[in-house]
Amino acid sequence: MISSSSIGNLSAEPSGMEVGLRLGGGERVPGRFDGDLKQFSSTVSPLVASDVSLSGGKSTNLYEGFFRFLLDSRSRVGFVIGRNDWQNLQLTEVTSDYYYTKLSSEIYSYHILGMYYFNVPVFRNWEWESGLGGGFTSADWNIRGFSAGGGLAPDTQYFNQRGRLRGSGLAYRAETAINHRLYESTFFQIGLGYHHIAIDKFSGNYNGETSSFYIRADGKVGVLDDTRVIDATVSTAQTFRRLDMNSGSWVLYFSVFQRFLD
């Protein structure tokens, strides 16, 4: 039986703040970003065909800290600051001119979100809450790999591939969780959230040149520096746009937070 005094302890709390830490793991939802990368091509020549495979990059790890202010017994507003790491993304390409390319991508993003939460007492020391918000994100995309081909040994050519790209954009979050009071003001939380980032372009250093991922008019994707983009546009009459990232992931998270009341 639910006692009225137990519910009253949870629902009639005065204003204050909450501070906590969170760890989570999740699964990405494949989207246009993955589909575009499957159209990767190491050359701008339309005469060279390529076969591309993409693997990894499906799981994510989440690390966050948060603080929020209690507006009343049910409502909270606050900020979430954290980092989201992807599993390494592996891309391989074999071309019709006998080149083999293998790239490993490490992608991680930082975010700061403004959030609103609604909290409802459930049973004794249990609460249910849901939150919704958005903010800003900055993502780093580090690439390591190689390309090899051009003929049989000793005529085989080998090229290291190194890139450090960065992009910024918007992030969105929707989440729901169950809170359990461990001690008088200490809570454990388990929840499920959807985290989405939207970045319109990446740019940075790739093999010593200021470069970016571009999508050609024929849908092929490649890493090009600004000079090559201009040359290719003039020589092949193609148009280019930068590769964007719209990617979401479902995250199961665990938090511990402390409630400080006025």
Side-chain angles (χ1 to χ4, degrees), residues 55-177:
S55 62
K58 295 182 179 180
S59 61
T60 64
N61 293 317
L62 181 72
Y63 313 92
E64 290 183 336
F66 61 87
F67 62 94
R68 52 200 191 186
F69 300 94
L70 282 67
L71 302 179
D72 53 40
S73 61
R74 298 287 180 90
S75 300
R76 292 115 166 86
V77 293
F79 294 94
V80 174
I81 301 173
R83 168 173 164 154
N84 198 31
D85 292 359
W86 293 22
Q87 175 193 23
N88 280 3
L89 188 66
Q90 308 290 339
L91 183 151
T92 58
E93 179 202 30
V94 179
T95 66
S96 59
D97 59 349
Y98 308 109
Y99 272 89
Y100 176 83
T101 299
K102 185 175 182 63
L103 302 177
S104 177
S105 296
E106 178 189 30
I107 302 175
Y108 53 91
S109 62
Y110 298 93
H111 53 269
I112 177 168
L113 308 173
M115 299 287 297
Y116 170 79
Y117 299 91
F118 187 76
N119 186 292
V120 178
V122 178
F123 175 77
R124 293 185 180 177
N125 293 318
W126 296 86
E127 303 172 344
W128 169 77
E129 72 171 38
S130 287
L132 187 67
F136 302 96
T137 184
S138 176
D140 289 322
W141 186 352
N142 297 328
I143 302 169
R144 297 290 183 271
F146 67 91
S147 294
L152 299 176
D155 297 324
T156 302
Q157 297 177 307
Y158 183 91
F159 306 95
N160 283 318
Q161 304 290 325
R162 298 289 184 270
R164 295 183 63 88
L165 308 177
R166 173 168 291 181
S168 58
L170 300 177
Y172 308 94
R173 171 75 59 82
E175 60 185 54
T176 187

